[in-house]
Amino acid sequence: MIRLERSEALRRKIRKDDVADLGISTWALVRDSIKAGRVDEALDLIDYELDRDCAAIDSLTLGRDMLLTRLARFGEEEIEKFHRERYSPSVIDWLSTTPGVEESLQRFTEIFRVFTQNLLVTEEVDRYVMKLDPCGTGGRLRRTRSVGVTKKAYPWSWNKSGVCYYCTHCSVFQEILPIEMRGYPICVTQYPDNPEDPCIHFYYKKPGLIPDEYFIRIGKSPWRIRPG
């Protein structure tokens, strides 16, 4: 028997099924409800599971922020070293399997659709624009928590101080490492100084269309790319 009830202790909905049913996947229950034609029940379960997924992502994001903040006590430069070690294999794999801008856009939107409710993608003459309001990881973290931020401006913090440690991985993963490996970024990030503003990603259709400023701000020379 499926029961979704509000827990006063947790202040959120929680499954209070019969003991024998507690271990059943919520998504399995959703499928069963749909097959049985119980649409309202299926929708309630979907909303419940999406809330649980967001809570899990928030917990992981907060944990990473806490670890990076503690790591920064040994010198903020350690943040970049961590990101490089963590994301270099991912960038190598990404560039070898997803060289085109359209597929990179599709892959990133697939990732962000999991945990970003307000996601808008538009096309402009020279680029695709992804608007996350907020990003479902660092963006939501900044709006709901006190976070660790850079004390100085670094290339890996888009030449800004006061940047959330967690969010700096976007600079290293999407911009710095791809430029070093192939000469231009996967996409560029417009990091909002105000947490209430959306985070913007730009996917330029050709490398030669990327403005020089996006190379200079992370300490790279724009002359390295001019193909197309």
Side-chain angles (χ1 to χ4, degrees):
M1 176 180 172
I2 305 170
R3 287 188 294 145
L4 282 177
E5 298 180 9
R6 181 164 295 280
S7 166
E8 290 303 319
L10 300 177
R11 299 186 182 280
R12 60 175 172 80
K13 283 186 176 181
I14 187 171
R15 277 176 54 185
K16 296 185 176 181
D17 306 353
D18 295 338
V19 172
D21 297 332
L22 282 173
I24 300 175
S25 163
T26 300
W27 294 117
L29 295 177
V30 169
R31 284 191 290 270
D32 290 344
S33 298
I34 292 173
K35 290 178 180 179
R38 300 190 297 269
V39 177
D40 289 341
E41 180 179 276
L43 292 173
D44 285 343
L45 286 167
I46 289 172
D47 288 340
Y48 162 80
E49 191 61 17
L50 289 175
D51 286 343
R52 297 303 90 229
D53 289 348
C54 285
I57 292 168
D58 287 346
S59 179
L60 291 172
T61 305
L62 177 60
R64 175 71 70 87
D65 174 72
M66 293 175 67
L67 288 172
L68 291 174
T69 300
R70 180 169 290 274
L71 180 62
R73 297 179 185 178
F74 299 93
E76 290 189 318
E77 294 79 5
E78 295 298 318
I79 302 293
E80 182 187 15
K81 295 178 184 178
F82 173 84
H83 288 327
R84 283 181 173 274
E85 184 174 348
R86 165 64 180 85
Y87 291 106
S88 287
S90 298
V91 174
I92 292 172
D93 177 72
W94 189 290
L95 297 183
S96 65
T97 59
T98 318
V101 63
E102 287 84 5
E103 191 173 354
S104 283
L105 172 68
Q106 292 161 0
R107 284 187 67 179
F108 268 118
T109 53
E110 186 173 74
I111 293 169
F112 284 113
R113 280 197 304 267
V114 175
F115 44 73
T116 301
Q117 294 179 339
N118 297 318
L119 172 62
L120 177 65
V121 180
T122 57
E123 182 176 3
E124 298 179 355
V125 173
D126 58 340
R127 64 192 182 184
Y128 301 98
V129 181
M130 182 191 299
K131 179 180 178 182
L132 304 110
D133 193 13
C135 159
T137 53
R140 189 158 63 229
L141 180 71
R142 294 178 67 208
R143 291 187 184 184
T144 58
R145 305 271 185 167
S146 176
V147 299
V149 298
T150 56
K151 306 302 184 291
K152 300 178 182 179
Y154 302 94
W156 47 270
S157 65
W158 299 290
N159 201 31
K160 292 182 177 183
S161 60
V163 173
C164 171
Y165 288 135
Y166 178 89
C167 296
T168 58
H169 79 273
C170 288
S171 173
V172 177
F173 174 57
Q174 296 163 193
E175 301 177 36
I176 293 175
L177 289 175
I179 288 174
E180 292 176 353
M181 292 180 188
R182 72 174 182 186
Y184 58 95
I186 297 172
C187 66
V188 296
T189 299
Q190 190 176 78
Y191 175 87
D193 294 329
N194 183 349
E196 298 304 317
D197 291 337
C199 182
I200 310 289
H201 290 183
F202 297 130
Y203 296 78
Y204 283 88
K205 296 179 179 180
K206 293 183 179 180
L209 296 174
I210 304 173
D212 290 355
E213 64 182 280
Y214 291 127
F215 291 84
I216 295 171
R217 68 176 184 169
I218 55 174
K220 302 299 180 184
S221 299
W223 64 263
R224 290 190 61 189
I225 66 102
R226 277 295 169 257

